[in-house]
Amino acid sequence: MGLNATGSQKPWSATEADWIAGWAIQAFVFQTPEKSDMGKVATVTMNPSVDVFAETEDLVENGKTRCKNTTQEPGGGGINVARNLNRFGVDVVAILTAGGLQGKLLKQLLAGAAFTFYCVDIKGETRQSLAVTERASGKLFHLVFPGPELEESEWRQCLDAFQALKPAADYLVLSGSLPGGVPTDFYGDLARLAADEGTRVILDTSGKALSPSRGKGIYLTKLNFGEFCDLGYSGSDDHAGMLAAMGQMVDEGLTDNLIVTLDAEGALLVSNTGEKLYARPPRTRVISHVGAGDSFVSVLVYQLDRGKTVAEAFRYGVAAAAAKVSTPGNQLMDLDKVESIVETVMIREHGERR
């Protein structure tokens, strides 16, 4: 059977529907809002989560901490990006895994999503994360739990689900960690498949999934400082040294464009056209950092798809992260807020005086 949306525009469908039969893949297609003429974006989330948010007056040591204002949201890098992009009016499809009671809850939380997602049912239990805000101190404590172990048949179904998407995506966002059982070169293989179709690949991951992506046609990679060090950087946080090392990684084929984020201090960019930039956002009161990196990627892709240069989209990404941390939850709700911040983002080229 074909999979068609009931909205005003026909999003992706599985033209070869037999690949679904007999597999634990579920395709969910919901009413889609009217879309712009922007290109299509696919996201992959191999290790999603149910994100639980709560508040308490004080964290109690060796005793009960009673929380209030508890909310639950579907989480994981690619899911967060897909939800943001859909809200911005982009035609998006998400591929994800889910298992156990938490996996059932994840699908229920996504049931109201106005975009298509393909869910590969797994035997393991989908993870949770917990973010607790202590009102007395204003601090947020983010606890992330281990993900499941995937069987080979399960992660291979995710590859097949991507290959079955027709027409090919304009952008593929590979975001979040890889769970146990998934080969370290999984994202690299997906990137190669996507690049062969002319799809621009955006990579935002950590740890074991980073190195095997070298030479696989990654259009842009976003790292934080710790992930940058995991790739071999052993210098200080001096911008000149970091930019030089980033340039070498780009020259060696790690990625066409490389971004390293520096938390509240902003981010660095080395592009395949030779640009070396530092962007610093305005000071922002932090309410929830959860999803800030995903908001960066969401707005970056949104702006690239609108025809912005990498440097221009980079500036918007920095503004998006600043906008996100000032709001609760894991989503970027207001593009107008990003527009109000972007002009205050300071951009400096390498070698330019402060």
Side-chain angles (χ1 to χ4, degrees):
M1 62 178 180
L3 300 172
N4 295 312
T6 57
S8 60
Q9 187 172 0
K10 180 180 177 181
W12 281 304
S13 61
T15 57
E16 295 294 333
D18 288 343
W19 61 273
I20 298 177
W23 283 9
I25 295 183
Q26 300 177 39
F28 300 82
V29 188
F30 297 96
Q31 181 78 23
T32 54
E34 185 174 353
K35 302 295 182 181
S36 68
D37 60 355
M38 299 177 68
K40 299 178 178 68
V41 178
T43 73
V44 174
T45 312
M46 297 301 293
N47 201 13
S49 62
V50 173
D51 291 349
V52 180
F53 295 88
E55 294 182 357
T56 186
E57 190 61 34
D58 293 284
L59 286 175
V60 179
E61 185 176 358
N62 296 324
K64 291 182 179 179
T65 295
R66 299 194 180 276
C67 299
K68 62 174 75 173
N69 299 330
T70 303
T71 59
Q72 295 175 319
E73 295 189 37
I79 291 175
N80 290 340
V81 171
R83 293 176 70 206
N84 281 331
L85 288 174
N86 177 72
R87 188 177 302 109
F88 304 160
V90 178
D91 192 0
V92 63
V93 63
I95 297 169
L96 58 120
T97 64
L101 293 176
Q102 290 300 315
K104 182 178 180 180
L105 176 58
L106 176 65
K107 288 185 284 187
Q108 291 174 347
L109 291 170
L110 282 169
F115 60 88
T116 303
F117 65 96
Y118 294 96
C119 180
V120 175
D121 282 344
I122 60 174
K123 293 180 180 178
E125 182 80 24
T126 297
R127 62 180 177 158
Q128 275 189 326
S129 76
L130 174 63
V132 179
T133 298
E134 185 183 52
R135 289 200 297 263
S137 66
K139 295 179 179 178
L140 182 140
F141 300 85
H142 191 195
L143 308 179
V144 179
F145 299 98
E149 188 91 5
L150 265 62
E151 297 182 357
E152 181 176 351
S153 61
E154 294 168 343
W155 60 258
R156 285 195 179 278
Q157 288 177 55
C158 296
L159 286 174
D160 293 338
F162 172 74
Q163 289 183 284
L165 296 178
K166 302 298 178 186
D170 294 329
Y171 290 89
L172 170 64
V173 178
L174 303 175
S175 183
S177 61
L178 290 178
V182 180
T184 58
D185 59 354
F186 178 84
Y187 281 154
D189 287 346
L190 257 179
R192 177 182 52 78
L193 292 171
D196 288 346
E197 294 287 337
T199 299
R200 287 180 168 181
V201 179
I202 312 295
L203 179 65
D204 182 13
T205 188
S206 59
K208 64 181 184 179
L210 280 171
S211 293
S213 68
R214 290 178 185 269
K216 295 296 181 71
I218 306 291
Y219 179 70
L220 187 144
T221 299
K222 184 186 79 67
L223 310 171
N224 61 34
F225 183 74
E227 293 159 353
F228 183 47
C229 292
D230 288 341
L231 275 182
Y233 181 71
S234 58
S236 68
D237 58 1
D238 172 72
H239 292 174
M242 293 178 66
L243 286 166
M246 291 167 64
Q248 183 175 351
M249 290 179 180
V250 169
D251 291 342
E252 292 174 350
L254 171 72
T255 183
D256 291 345
N257 303 279
L258 179 59
I259 292 172
V260 176
T261 58
L262 306 171
D263 295 326
E265 296 305 311
L268 300 169
L269 164 70
V270 172
S271 73
N272 58 359
T273 58
E275 293 166 302
K276 294 184 177 182
L277 303 177
Y278 167 60
R280 186 178 67 194
R283 294 297 176 189
T284 305
R285 176 172 174 261
V286 177
I287 295 176
S288 171
H289 67 265
V290 182
D294 301 327
S295 296
F296 189 121
V297 171
S298 301
V299 173
L300 177 92
V301 173
Y302 176 74
Q303 295 297 337
L304 287 173
D305 200 41
R306 297 181 74 192
K308 299 287 188 183
T309 66
V310 171
E312 290 169 334
F314 165 66
R315 186 175 191 174
Y316 270 92
V318 171
K324 168 61 204 71
V325 298
S326 65
T327 56
N330 61 16
Q331 288 288 284
L332 178 63
M333 305 302 295
D334 189 357
L335 267 181
D336 289 339
K337 188 171 185 177
V338 177
E339 290 288 350
S340 70
I341 292 175
V342 71
E343 294 303 323
T344 67
V345 174
M346 185 275 292
I347 289 283
R348 188 173 69 244
E349 295 185 15
H350 178 49
E352 185 179 339
R353 290 183 177 271
R354 294 175 183 266

